Amino acid sequence: GASGFTGKHVIREALKFLSAPFFPLKNFAIAGRNTSKLSQALQWASGTNSPPEIPILIADTTDPASLRHLASQTKIILNCVGPFRLYGEPVVEACVDSGCDYLDICGEPEFMERMEVKYHDKAVVNGSLVVSACGFDSIPAELGWMFNSRQWMPPAIFCKVEAYISLESDKKIVGNLGTYESAVLGVANADKLQELRRSRPKRPRPVIPGTFPNGLMVNHLKKVGLWAVKLPSADATVVRRTLSCLAEDSRGLPGVNESTEQIEKREAFWSTIKPARFGRWLLLNFPSVFSLGFFRKKGPTKDEVASATFKMWFVGQGFSDGSLASQGNRKPDMEIITRVMGPEIGYLTTPIILVQCALILLKERDNLPKGGVFPPGIVFGPTDLQDRLQQNGISFDVISKKTVYRNGCSSNQEREAHFPGSS
């Protein structure tokens, strides 16, 4: 999918690291159905520089032989062809058959879980690591939840986190119709996702302390004059899949050839991550939802992309002392707010994340699972992905820590900023 809207931005991001000192990316190719469009995408991604001489390969999701040939020539395929429900499976199958690693930017829960059901066992045997949602869906959610979890120091315990997304721009925020189609298909196939889950053996569920009632779908945050709308998204599904993996083994996934030092590092990381209920909300200045008017066939302009940013606030709730959680219906008395912030989500943040995940696979393959179909958090959580993202324009910050006492007063343990409009 190198000639698509996101694909050409991924090329541009990858070119920054091609044969650069201290980076493992020594060569790569671009692939798609049309040589002319691929050449144009490479020219665009190269900017004012002459395009590098990298292979342009022809592959089509309707031609399994072309995909197998593609997968046999490489260590990793980055798949940007969506909607994944329509076009993703042939690429996954080719990678699993070839023992090639696979990353994509999918945000479609039904596709991701169906790939796990169909290909996980074979991927383990063949040494193919298949990881979806390696873009804005859902790395910021996974790493953001983990970052918030790491701020809870014993005896405090973490029970619930709500993620609030604010999309900001001086111009109208616009997406492309491919993204819209993926979102529509995700909602339209919710019944198939439920059917798929019912057909599978039940996985272990994490034990989460405290009791929390189900929330509303629309919430008015009166203090800041904004509305929050709970929209269907992959993030909550992906986080729950990672939590299920941790419920099976709290030490995480062993690497194919880990050193003793790496094993200790991985287990130490996961010891700081605690299960919590997770929800994701979209912040709006008015009670509206996305419609077709927010998307167009040509996608956003260069200026629209450059002016857009995102802020993702993680409001963690829990107890200042773990013993309080077992005292009936007692409400949480502690809150920690953290934030992940970065550039435009579809064409800037997503390529940054996808390319950094690929660089980690190339550099640290021995420290990662031999193979299997997994959510990104369980694979990349113990790596230096957060540090890499911070070095490339995506920040992680602690905004406030607050303990609420029984009389209703609060004590700020760190600086407290206005949520969610803090700069």
Side-chain angles (χ1 to χ4, degrees):
S3 60
F5 287 113
T6 303
K8 65 181 184 179
H9 284 82
V10 173
I11 300 173
R12 185 174 68 178
E13 186 67 21
L15 288 176
K16 298 177 184 178
F17 303 96
L18 180 61
S19 297
F22 311 112
F23 288 101
L25 184 61
K26 303 308 178 186
N27 55 74
F28 73 95
I30 60 175
R33 294 177 297 173
N34 186 300
T35 302
S36 176
K37 289 183 177 180
L38 290 168
S39 297
Q40 292 171 15
L42 181 58
Q43 178 67 64
W44 179 91
S46 302
T48 58
N49 300 320
S50 298
E53 294 185 2
I54 64 175
I56 294 177
L57 308 177
I58 300 302
D60 192 325
T61 57
T62 64
D63 182 1
S66 72
L67 296 177
R68 287 194 297 271
H69 182 60
L70 186 69
S72 69
Q73 300 178 72
T74 186
K75 292 182 178 180
I76 309 172
I77 285 182
L78 310 184
N79 190 15
C80 299
V81 180
F84 289 86
R85 180 180 176 273
L86 301 180
Y87 308 115
E89 182 172 355
V91 188
V92 172
E93 185 176 20
C95 288
V96 171
D97 286 345
S98 303
C100 166
D101 291 337
Y102 168 99
L103 303 177
D104 71 31
I105 55 172
C106 176
E108 303 166 39
E110 190 270 341
F111 169 79
M112 290 186 275
E113 295 191 30
R114 182 160 48 85
M115 294 304 96
E116 182 180 0
V117 169
K118 294 186 68 172
Y119 297 104
H120 177 78
D121 292 343
K122 189 173 184 180
V124 171
V125 172
N126 290 354
S128 171
L129 191 54
V130 176
V131 189
S132 286
C134 295
F136 185 76
D137 286 341
S138 295
I139 295 286
E142 293 244 75
L143 293 190
W145 149 60
M146 294 178 193
F147 180 68
N148 193 289
S149 178
R150 295 202 305 276
Q151 311 311 314
W152 294 79
M153 302 300 172
I157 61 169
F158 179 46
C159 305
K160 178 182 180 181
V161 62
E162 297 281 0
Y164 294 86
I165 301 173
S166 173
L167 303 178
E168 303 175 7
S169 176
D170 295 334
K171 305 179 184 296
K172 184 177 180 180
I173 297 172
V174 175
N176 71 70
L177 284 177
T179 301
Y180 180 81
E181 187 178 9
S182 293
V184 170
L185 284 173
V187 174
N189 288 282
D191 58 334
K192 293 185 178 180
L193 176 57
Q194 295 305 317
E195 182 181 344
L196 176 67
R197 288 173 176 171
R198 286 193 295 267
S199 69
R200 303 180 62 184
K202 289 190 176 182
R203 300 186 64 177
R205 290 189 175 187
V207 177
I208 301 173
T211 57
F212 294 86
N214 291 328
L216 302 173
M217 294 303 292
V218 178
N219 186 19
H220 187 201
L221 305 176
K222 295 180 181 179
K223 289 185 179 180
V224 294
L226 292 177
W227 291 80
V229 180
K230 185 169 283 188
L231 294 178
S233 75
D235 288 353
T237 295
V238 170
V239 169
R240 283 195 291 267
R241 288 176 64 209
T242 291
L243 286 171
S244 291
C245 292
L246 290 175
E248 293 174 349
D249 191 336
S250 62
R251 298 170 297 178
L253 302 176
V256 64
N257 191 23
E258 284 180 298
S259 65
T260 301
E261 180 182 2
Q262 177 59 31
I263 293 172
E264 293 175 352
K265 177 182 175 183
R266 168 173 55 81
E267 293 182 353
F269 173 83
W270 287 119
S271 72
T272 67
I273 306 301
K274 303 304 179 185
R277 293 170 178 83
F278 179 90
R280 197 187 85 163
W281 299 76
L282 176 65
L283 289 172
L284 300 171
N285 289 318
F286 48 88
S288 173
V289 294
F290 280 133
S291 67
L292 190 59
F294 283 83
F295 299 86
R296 58 173 177 250
K297 190 173 183 179
K298 292 184 178 180
T301 66
K302 182 178 179 181
D303 288 343
E304 288 168 344
V305 170
S307 68
T309 60
F310 81 90
K311 293 176 183 175
M312 196 166 184
W313 309 79
F314 294 81
V315 181
Q317 296 182 341
F319 297 89
S320 56
D321 190 310
S323 63
L324 300 176
S326 60
Q327 296 181 12
N329 293 324
R330 185 177 180 121
K331 293 182 179 180
D333 69 339
M334 188 170 175
E335 177 184 272
I336 296 179
I337 299 177
T338 56
R339 182 184 64 198
V340 180
M341 184 168 64
E344 188 277 335
I345 61 175
Y347 305 106
L348 298 181
T349 289
T350 287
I352 289 170
I353 294 172
L354 182 63
V355 169
Q356 291 304 318
C357 288
L359 293 174
I360 289 173
L361 276 185
L362 288 173
K363 184 178 180 181
E364 302 183 34
R365 191 62 182 88
D366 283 351
N367 295 331
L368 303 176
K370 175 186 175 182
V373 181
F374 297 106
I378 197 67
V379 174
F380 294 110
T383 71
D384 63 348
L385 179 57
Q386 180 182 317
D387 292 338
R388 288 169 172 265
L389 297 184
Q390 291 186 154
Q391 294 165 11
N392 286 275
I394 300 171
S395 62
F396 293 73
D397 302 294
V398 176
I399 301 304
S400 68
K401 294 184 179 181
K402 181 171 64 175
T403 302
V404 181
Y405 296 110
R406 292 184 181 181
N407 61 7
C409 297
S410 64
S411 171
N412 292 329
Q413 299 173 336
E414 293 191 5
R415 73 176 183 89
E416 184 169 4
H418 295 296
F419 167 74
S422 174
S423 62

